[in-house]
Amino acid sequence: MTAERVAEGALTLDSRLTTALGGRTAQALQRAWGYSTVGDLLAHYPRRYAARGELTALAELPLDENVTIVAEVLEVRERTMRSRRGSILEAKISDGTGILTLTFFNQKWRANELRPGVRGMFAGKVSDYRGARQLAHPDYQLFDEAQPVIGADAAAVRWATAPIPIYPATGTLSSWQLQNAIALLLDGLGAVDDPLPEGIRATRGLLGHREALERVHRPERDADWKSARRTLRFTEAFVLQTALLERRAAARAHEAVRREPAPGGLFERFEAALPFELTDDQHAVGAEILHDLAEPVPMNRLVQGEVGSGKTVVALRAMLAVAESGGQAALLAPTEVLAAQHLRSIARMLGPELAAEVMPTLVTGQLPAADRRRAALRVAAGQARIVVGTHALLGETTSFADLGLVVVDEQHRFGVEQREALRLKGRHPHVLVLTATPIPRTVAMTVFGDLDVSTIRELPAGRAGIETHVVPLAERPAWRARVWERLGEELAQGCQGFVVCPAIDAKAAEEADPPEGEPAPTAGPAASVASVLAELQANPKLADARVAPLHGRMAADEKDDVMRAFAGHDLDVLVATTVIEVGVDVPNASTMVVVDADRFGVSQLHQLRGRVGRGSVPGLCLLVTGAEAGSVARERLDAVAGTLDGFELARVDLELRQEGDVLGATQSGGRSSLKLLRVARDGDLIADARDAAAEVLADDPRLASHTALAGAVRRRLDDEASEYLSRG
């Protein structure tokens, strides 16, 4: 990975990497992380710093991961291969306690470099050979112990004491290759305008941006990178909050149609006919929404609520307020199963008379052609004043007469282009976002900073509650049989159950990987719907049970038929993937068994658990795991079992994960990750940055006098992170 040195001062943060480093290197960086500009790569900060005398804890290296380590060569030997021609060169390196083997095939010449006593950095994927850790054909860079002696004493001291940046790397791009590339960029980088206004920087004792970049990548002492990271962390929070507040202001700059319920109209008739009393939280959040709808600017509100807290009825009240003014409301759901269930639930809550007036209509891609044409005509003519659908709502064949409200269910499952496509079908419609994933304050401030946030904590009266237990197969393997016996006991009481698996079959997993920043799951293949279904069907304790699979590979009408059968109690047990995670509502379901529960995130488990205990029948959730006692995976499961408070779980989850990607890499291609900012740790800093950003925008809403900040915001939102940040 080499490139010709660029003339000093020739580069800016917006310069293309193809120009700065050459096409081959630029392509490698684009493939690995999506980087395309100098600013992108300079924001690829070291994950830690090593010292030349430091040795790494080799015994703790994780299998099958690319690592960069600092170690010393102990011995080198060559042996002839038995099964084929050639030789193997093995070098043993040590941290003083553990030993790691470097293996090279037919490269005996490396023995001249890898001499006992030499130290260096070694990079490669950790594998296991006969019970010992090894790196096969690793890259390495040896420390030239003699080199600095030639220069002045000061240079020697700098060389010996300077921290070595260790970068997040890949199998094809090693840490020192990245270090060399970044050094070329820094040598060619001209003056950098600072996104932080001088007053903000001075009052907080922060470095200039150019100096911070230099110190974080080429520190001479530990104090350098520490002060640089402090500056860059605040800068990241400040730019992000400026972007979110700017989006919020831009959304409120448009004019929206006021939507207010009339006396004696649809809204009041629905309220009068409700067979249950709304909770205080539902009343309070409903009042906030009605206030927003009556304003001449578009509502942009997030409603977060516990599983089963009644967000749907709150959203339906908003839809009726819009329908009453002659407008239409569109509810965008992430799956066909959930869209169909939302429609049935809405029709049931409305009752036959109101349903006939607002004509709730389903629009999905799997509808028969004739049904879809009829639905499209109803929507285009304005007859359907409540429309429920999946991505099909976004297509060119779906048009609205007067779209006044967009409701997005579980918004993190949709990209910005999809949400924007639906919004553009109306004239600045109001937007209501629903999520059943409780969000800690700092995450809400960081991720949803351009939305007004409402919270429903209170659960409706009459819920029987849920008991949750961890089933630790590592210590109690015989308990697996008891799990199915316990499920059979619930079925014998006339109840139903879910069994959730991380994989569909032996070859393919559906949402089986743990969230970013969480530990690897239990070793071995994930439990699959196919294997567990066969296990249940062969179990004599469940001989009479009517069991069926449900997963994302089934056709939409097939999934809907299964869900209808389950809801109608024509099935006893669903063996499913997380397709049932959100929104499936069967009050008679009492039991949730999650197999390989350590392969799911805390919020996923909380969502899954919320599928039971929704009626008068007590809920039972069994988290089956092979994770060892004392592991982080078990800590997470114990936390879920220890509380039903989703907001407390969200806090615990954040603390356990520490580094997690709160902006959701799986939704945005991996580039929206926070760099140095950590919401578990930096809540006060984020709040400070938000206040500072609000002051700047209050004085200069268009950032006309803050061109460097405007450029940083543009770069931030040009990132694929904008796909996640744009709610409005």
Side-chain angles (χ1 to χ4, degrees), residues 256-260 292-297 321 325 430:
V257 177
R258 297 173 188 264
R259 309 285 183 175
E260 298 178 84
D292 288 351
L293 291 174
E295 293 289 306
V297 295
S325 67
H430 300 281

Side-chain angles (χ1 to χ4, degrees), residues 323-538:
E324 207 165 279
S325 67
Q328 294 167 288
L331 171 57
L332 183 61
T335 66
E336 305 259 351
V337 168
L338 191 51
Q341 181 178 286
H342 271 313
L343 187 82
R344 290 194 295 270
S345 176
I346 286 170
R348 185 176 66 248
M349 283 192 284
L350 287 172
E353 189 177 318
L354 284 177
E357 290 186 52
V358 300
M359 206 176 289
T361 298
L362 183 68
V363 177
T364 72
Q366 297 297 320
L367 285 176
D371 291 349
R372 190 165 178 183
R373 278 196 298 274
R374 278 195 293 272
L377 283 172
R378 274 192 212 163
V379 176
Q383 288 177 296
R385 286 191 268 174
I386 292 179
V387 184
V388 181
T390 56
H391 297 76
L393 288 178
L394 314 175
E396 294 179 5
T397 56
T398 305
S399 59
F400 294 82
D402 179 16
L403 181 59
L405 173 65
V406 173
V407 181
V408 183
D409 191 21
E410 292 304 322
Q411 57 76 39
H412 63 277
R413 295 171 180 240
F414 297 98
V416 64
E417 291 90 354
Q418 295 165 323
R419 296 194 296 276
E420 191 65 16
L422 184 54
R423 273 179 29 130
L424 292 174
K425 291 175 181 284
R427 189 170 67 85
H428 305 303
H430 300 281
V431 175
L432 183 63
V433 172
L434 309 177
T435 181
T437 304
I439 303 158
R441 181 185 69 90
T442 51
V443 177
M445 201 165 34
T446 307
V447 183
F448 302 102
D450 54 341
L451 290 179
D452 297 310
V453 179
S454 297
T455 299
I456 304 177
R457 279 180 171 269
E458 195 177 354
L459 295 178
R463 294 292 174 93
I466 307 169
E467 280 191 15
T468 307
H469 302 282
V470 176
V471 182
L473 298 185
E475 299 102 81
R476 309 279 187 179
W479 282 12
R480 187 179 183 96
R482 175 60 185 144
V483 168
W484 306 133
E485 188 179 323
R486 187 69 184 84
L487 174 60
E489 291 168 3
E490 289 293 315
L491 301 187
Q493 299 293 320
C495 299
Q496 294 161 274
F498 297 100
V499 178
V500 176
C501 308
I504 298 174
D505 55 35
K507 292 186 179 178
E510 181 174 278
E511 298 188 30
D513 292 329
E516 181 77 19
E518 294 193 354
T522 306
S528 68
V529 170
S531 63
V532 172
L533 182 66
E535 184 181 354
L536 297 193
Q537 289 171 333

Side-chain angles (χ1 to χ4, degrees), residues 35 55 69 86 94 146 157-158 165 209 229 310 313 335 357 361 386 418 529 554 567 678:
Y35 297 159
L55 297 176
I69 58 176
S94 175
V157 170
R158 277 200 304 274
H209 195 61
R229 285 170 73 101
V313 70
T335 66
E357 290 186 52
T361 298
I386 292 179
Q418 295 165 323
V529 170
M554 295 163 62
R678 294 290 175 262

Side-chain angles (χ1 to χ4, degrees), residues 110 294 559 611 666:
R110 292 190 184 274
K559 285 188 287 189
R611 299 305 110 217
T666 55

